[in-house]
Amino acid sequence: MSKIPLSKSHLSGYELAYIQTAFQRNEVSVYGENLTGFENDLEKYLQKESKVACTISGTAAIHLALILANVMKGDEVLCQSMTYAASANPITYQGAIPIFIDSEKDTWNMCPKALELAIKDRILKNKKPKAIIVVDLYGMPAKLNEISSVAKKYEITLIEDAAEALGSIYNRQKCGTFGDFGILSFNGNKIITTSGGGALVCKSEKDKQKAVFLATQARDDAPHYQHSTIGYNYRMSNILAGIGRGQMEVLDKHIHLRRANNKFYQNLFKDVEGITVLKEPTADYFSNHWLSCILIDAKVTGFTREELRLQLEKDNIESRPLWKPMHLQPVFADCEYYGGRVAEVLFNNGLCLPSGSNLTDEDRDRIAASIMKLL
Ligand SMILES: *Cc1c(COP(=O)(O)O)cnc(C)c1O
């Protein structure tokens, strides 16, 4: 039996025409109509006067956001602990210091209370944080109103890592547009892909232009190569942007299919005691359900998260524990942390289930049959 992956690239067939045009026009570098076209598509999709600069990865976009937020060596940046390492790594590229914040139980994202406690304590220690990185993990919007209010109250730059949440909505506003900067990822496993790529979402054309300048080696306006600041080679290529334009045509379809997967799991587990599927806490939240995730109370089910994972693996079905919180990672062992054990308990008991937009009915039957063996 073939492997059922957690989340796989899902190409539409529309991508090749855009790539062909790029070849015909000899636009294979970091300039061309696919790049402007893809950025326009994203700006139209996100609204809120978003200005989008496409990059080689979501990680590069976070790095640029930190630079634009003026984060420098020795500065402190508050970051959601329950996330993928790419949210936190760029803090260290700047020589800055990550400080991790616990999650809350409704969305599994940054706890606004723990965030405010952390800010107050850092200010007391005379180290006011330079930026906050909040994440919409698995596509679920964080408590973005409360997080934004805290950021505004203390006048700290907010960066929204919406790498997993393109198409998710909170309070009728698209994820990726809540912070001073937002970031998206088009990695192969995300809801749409450019094979690899990302985007920085800015609030002004000026910031977008600054990001593009930094992403193309910070070349001053001169006939010769002249540089007054350190630059990066972070710009997306016009070829990859062509893949992105083809994927934008099916973004809404992908969201619909991922949400249908979530419904399938809600239904599968609705009468199962001890297993809960992560769902939108209120009608204010709309998740793209990039990944569908469950929590297992082993005392009730009689089996652990790991036992279920191994059962699925035996049947050639990929699942994965929830992302291990950053404050528990060996590489960040020395970093400070604010909060309780919410993220840790989620990690110990949570599992991500196959969620691709290309799952078939047959795949879902196999997943259900495999899980039923334990129930
Ligand atoms: C994928 C991801 C990123 C990084 O995106 P890349 O394009 O892979 O660099 C950042 N944050 C989160 C939460 C992600 O899932």
Side-chain angles (χ1 to χ4, degrees):
M1 265 190 291
S2 62
K3 182 176 173 184
I4 300 178
L6 196 64
S7 177
K8 203 179 159 187
S9 303
H10 187 185
L11 294 165
S12 65
Y14 302 127
E15 297 85 3
L16 272 175
Y18 291 105
I19 294 176
Q20 254 156 0
T21 309
F23 274 73
Q24 278 154 10
R25 294 168 62 102
N26 255 307
E27 292 177 343
V28 298
S29 175
V30 294
Y31 306 93
E33 67 172 13
N34 282 340
L35 202 47
T36 47
F38 186 35
E39 288 177 342
N40 284 340
D41 288 349
L42 288 165
E43 287 171 4
K44 230 180 268 159
Y45 187 81
L46 293 172
Q47 303 198 314
K48 272 274 153 193
E49 282 135 48
S50 302
K51 300 292 171 199
V52 173
C54 284
T55 53
I56 51 162
S57 67
T59 310
I62 297 175
H63 190 192
L64 291 174
L66 291 167
I67 297 170
L68 292 178
N70 213 17
V71 170
M72 289 187 286
K73 193 173 171 193
D75 286 341
E76 293 186 347
V77 175
L78 304 176
C79 182
Q80 181 167 324
S81 185
M82 180 103 194
T83 187
Y84 183 61
S87 306
N89 283 339
I91 300 168
T92 68
Y93 304 168
Q94 280 305 95
I97 301 156
I99 293 179
F100 295 108
I101 310 290
D102 201 3
S103 290
E104 42 76 17
K105 288 178 183 166
D106 295 336
T107 71
W108 300 1
N109 290 308
M110 186 184 269
C111 172
K113 292 193 191 84
L115 172 67
E116 183 157 16
L117 282 174
I119 294 172
K120 283 182 172 159
D121 189 54
R122 299 324 289 174
I123 291 175
L124 263 178
K125 296 189 162 89
N126 226 346
K127 291 177 180 173
K128 184 178 165 183
K130 249 332 194 352
I132 299 164
I133 301 177
V134 64
V135 186
D136 305 313
L137 206 65
Y138 308 123
M140 183 63 72
K143 295 195 166 169
L144 292 162
N145 275 3
E146 291 170 56
I147 300 281
S148 302
S149 305
V150 174
K152 281 205 184 87
K153 179 172 167 190
Y154 294 94
E155 298 180 317
I156 301 173
T157 303
L158 180 64
I159 299 168
E160 184 193 4
D161 179 348
E164 302 176 1
L166 178 58
S168 296
I169 301 168
Y170 178 64
N171 261 340
R172 290 179 294 279
Q173 187 178 330
K174 290 262 168 59
C175 285
T177 66
F178 280 87
D180 300 283
F181 299 99
I183 79 101
L184 303 170
S185 168
F186 312 114
N187 195 358
N189 62 349
K190 299 284 159 55
I191 193 144
I192 62 166
T193 185
T194 58
S195 78
L200 178 67
V201 183
C202 304
K203 289 275 173 270
S204 70
E205 183 63 28
K206 197 168 143 238
D207 275 347
K208 171 179 171 172
Q209 289 314 324
K210 243 194 258 174
V212 171
F213 169 77
L214 290 169
T216 49
Q217 304 286 24
R219 298 207 298 259
D220 291 343
D221 191 10
H224 53 277
Y225 285 142
Q226 176 161 305
H227 309 270
S228 312
T229 39
I230 296 294
Y232 302 85
N233 191 358
Y234 277 177
R235 189 72 164 138
M236 179 182 277
S237 102
N238 190 59
I239 306 276
L240 300 192
I243 305 178
R245 287 178 92 183
Q247 289 272 289
M248 281 306 282
E249 297 190 33
V250 290
L251 172 56
D252 285 336
K253 187 175 124 197
H254 284 194
I255 294 167
H256 178 79
L257 291 166
R258 297 229 179 210
R259 286 178 60 83
N261 287 334
N262 190 264
K263 245 191 212 123
F264 159 74
Y265 288 118
Q266 301 276 7
N267 214 34
L268 184 64
F269 293 112
K270 76 174 184 302
D271 298 323
V272 179
E273 301 252 350
I275 296 186
T276 48
V277 184
L278 173 64
K279 63 168 198 281
E280 293 128 338
T282 70
D284 291 338
Y285 295 80
F286 177 92
S287 171
N288 68 8
H289 286 306
W290 173 62
L291 292 189
S292 287
C293 310
I294 55 172
L295 276 184
I296 301 172
D297 184 347
K299 286 198 295 295
V300 179
T301 57
F303 57 85
T304 62
R305 180 279 303 283
E306 190 56 12
E307 283 166 322
L308 178 55
R309 193 188 71 77
L310 290 170
Q311 175 63 52
L312 289 163
E313 191 172 79
K314 240 189 255 162
D315 293 321
N316 210 14
I317 298 165
E318 184 184 19
S319 66
R320 191 184 296 275
L322 299 191
W323 297 180
K324 184 173 181 175
M326 292 304 115
H327 73 282
L328 303 175
Q329 297 284 358
V331 70
F332 293 123
D334 296 335
C335 292
E336 295 204 56
Y337 170 74
Y338 289 85
R341 293 188 64 239
V342 175
E344 185 178 347
V345 171
L346 288 170
F347 169 64
N348 287 338
N349 299 291
L351 193 67
C352 307
L353 297 170
S355 304
S357 45
N358 37 16
L359 278 191
T360 62
D361 285 339
E362 199 179 293
D363 292 337
R364 278 181 286 266
D365 287 346
R366 265 179 63 195
I367 294 164
S370 178
I371 292 170
M372 283 307 157
K373 288 181 195 167
L374 278 183
L375 295 179

